[in-house]
Amino acid sequence: MGSVSLKVGDGTARFKRATLCSSAVNLLMILSVLTTNLFALYAFNYSPTHHHHNLNSHKNISLISEHVSQILREIDSSQRKLAKMEKELLGYDSIDISRPNIASELKLYLQHHQLPLGKDSRTGITEMVASVGHSCEKSTDLLSQYMNYKVSGSCPDDWSLAQKLILRGCEPLPRRRCFAKGGSKLGLLKPFPLSLWSSVVDNKVVGSWSGYGCKGFDCLSKKKLSRECVNCFDLAGVENQRYVKSKGKNDFLLDDVLGLGSGGIRIGFDIGGGSGTFAARMAERNVTVITNTLNVDAPFSEFVASRGLFPLYLSVDHRFPFYDNVFDLVHASSGLDVGSKVEKLEFLMFDIDRVLRPGGLFWLDNFYCANDEKKGVLTRLIERFGYKKLKWVVGEKVDAATGKSEVYLSAVLQKPARG
């Protein structure tokens, strides 16, 4: 039902802009109150010097009526200004749909829809506003291209365009009235839990391989796509040993971590979960895990789903779509790295803390520390939350490609109860 500001770029700018607009609103309210009080004080303390009492009384009543009317006009004007500033702050009117070359579907989607019964007594809203990402305004041309399709037809093969918009902060994307591309045949799925470690054939991926360097899983299984995905599609190889066999002191065994859980571990959230192996290992232990991933360099989402697991297609810049204190465990690795902006990492860490229940575990798994400054920033940030350090290991690994020694941090932290 809500709307996100379309005026700004990253989280830092959003925070500053919101503060600036809030200050302006507060200042306007203060000026309005002062003006109202001054008029009222003047009206009720006005004392004419004429000698005729009846005439003076009549004039006093007229003056008071005039001042009251002026006060009401001031209040009405202030309310209109406040409503306008609120809309600008929330981004209701930030995308100019009157611009040329805007897709008709985008115009239709962004229209305001009045509630049939007027104001909703529970929420206070009077209209439904389309939810689109705060940075969509900066990518209006691409967004219009995304919304240019045949209604009730097949959606274009434009997943890469959609992902480009998401990575630019245009998230959530608008809904579309077209049918997503799927396989030409109804494929037979392998039963769970056999599906967790069965090799996935290429035709089980219902999306498109367009835009990828590899056109099949045989190619992907030999690739290093990221620090977290080295042969991560090879389910019969190294990937099969993850979390059950340790290659170094930074690699914690899954059962050891689960044993640290206060009150048990039932549901978890894996940030940047790659091909879903962490969720697969947890599923073997009757723990439900949602895997957050994007399809960067490979169809991760389809692969995770083919294993009978739950993929969540979402960037880490988006507020997690979960209620407060719901997860027993949050798992993250170097996918937690959001660049050099300390404020962005703070926003992310606070959102992780929000969805993790008191007593729940935050497992930081082999976080790559590019330098001592990076490690120091993350360490100081974690310590601000007051988590109990159940495990904390800083170790070095040799990069197979470069031969250089790299520093990694692994930790298991327990969220405290806060009054």
Side-chain angles (χ1 to χ4, degrees), residues 128 234 336:
M128 297 294 294
D234 184 10
L336 196 69

Side-chain angles (χ1 to χ4, degrees), residues 298-337:
F300 287 102
S301 295
E302 293 97 323
F303 191 84
V304 171
S306 71
R307 300 177 73 177
L309 303 169
F310 188 160
L312 180 65
Y313 191 70
L314 190 77
S315 74
V316 292
D317 289 329
H318 194 290
R319 184 180 189 268
F320 298 135
F322 308 114
Y323 195 66
D324 304 349
N325 308 306
V326 293
F327 288 112
D328 302 314
L329 180 144
V330 174
H331 175 264
S333 55
S334 293
L336 196 69
D337 192 354

Side-chain angles (χ1 to χ4, degrees), residues 61 107 114 274 370:
I61 293 173
K107 292 180 181 180
Q114 298 293 327

Side-chain angles (χ1 to χ4, degrees), residues 4-272:
V4 184
S5 174
L6 301 172
K7 292 286 188 181
V8 294
D10 58 22
T12 308
R14 178 168 64 253
F15 179 79
K16 292 180 179 178
R17 184 61 175 266
T19 304
L20 179 63
C21 291
S22 299
S23 300
V25 171
N26 291 335
L27 180 61
L28 184 60
M29 292 180 67
I30 292 172
L31 289 174
S32 177
V33 171
L34 287 175
T35 303
T36 302
N37 289 337
L38 286 174
F39 275 121
L41 184 65
Y42 174 75
F44 289 104
N45 287 281
Y46 179 77
S47 163
T49 57
H50 297 293
H51 297 289
H52 301 289
H53 179 72
N54 292 336
L55 182 61
N56 290 343
S57 298
H58 179 73
K59 287 183 177 179
N60 283 343
I61 293 173
S62 299
L63 285 171
I64 290 173
S65 298
E66 182 181 343
H67 290 315
V68 169
S69 298
Q70 189 170 354
I71 290 170
L72 292 175
R73 288 194 297 270
E74 287 285 339
I75 292 174
D76 183 61
S77 176
S78 298
Q79 288 177 338
R80 287 197 302 268
K81 291 178 180 177
L82 288 172
K84 182 180 178 181
M85 294 183 72
E86 182 185 35
K87 281 191 174 184
E88 290 177 352
L89 178 63
L90 294 175
Y92 287 179
D93 302 318
S94 294
I95 291 184
D96 182 9
I97 59 176
S98 65
R99 291 171 49 186
N101 302 322
I102 295 293
S104 58
E105 282 292 285
L106 181 59
K107 292 180 181 180
L108 181 63
Y109 181 78
L110 292 178
Q111 284 180 359
H112 298 192
H113 299 281
Q114 298 293 327
L115 297 182
L117 300 178
K119 186 175 182 179
D120 183 81
S121 60
R122 293 176 300 171
T123 61
I125 64 172
T126 59
E127 60 185 6
M128 297 294 294
V129 181
S131 178
V132 290
H134 69 278
S135 291
C136 287
E137 183 192 19
K138 296 180 179 179
S139 304
T140 309
D141 291 339
L142 289 179
L143 184 63
S144 187
Q145 181 182 341
Y146 174 74
M147 293 297 288
N148 189 11
Y149 56 88
K150 181 180 179 181
V151 176
S152 298
S154 297
C155 294
D157 182 12
D158 59 356
W159 71 267
S160 57
L161 172 62
Q163 186 161 275
K164 183 184 295 184
L165 284 165
I166 290 173
L167 293 174
R168 290 186 177 190
C170 185
E171 184 183 25
L173 287 170
R175 288 172 173 163
R176 300 201 292 188
R177 297 187 297 167
C178 59
F179 295 104
K181 184 177 180 179
S184 58
K185 297 181 180 179
L186 298 178
L188 296 176
L189 300 176
K190 293 189 177 179
F192 186 89
L194 183 62
S195 61
L196 292 176
W197 300 103
S198 298
S199 297
V200 178
V201 295
D202 298 340
N203 60 14
K204 287 295 187 345
V205 177
V206 296
S208 173
W209 286 89
S210 64
Y212 297 129
C214 286
K215 304 302 180 184
F217 287 117
D218 287 340
C219 169
L220 283 175
S221 65
K222 303 177 179 64
K223 291 281 187 179
K224 176 184 178 180
L225 301 179
S226 66
R227 294 180 184 277
E228 295 75 45
C229 185
V230 181
N231 308 119
C232 68
F233 288 97
D234 184 10
L235 300 184
V238 178
E239 192 72 3
N240 192 264
Q241 306 300 314
R242 292 185 69 186
Y243 307 112
V244 293
K245 289 188 178 180
S246 174
K247 294 189 297 182
K249 63 179 183 179
N250 281 75
D251 298 329
F252 300 157
L253 298 182
L254 188 62
D255 290 332
D256 292 344
V257 174
L258 292 179
L260 301 173
S262 175
I265 304 296
R266 304 153 303 162
I267 55 174
F269 182 37
D270 188 15
I271 300 173

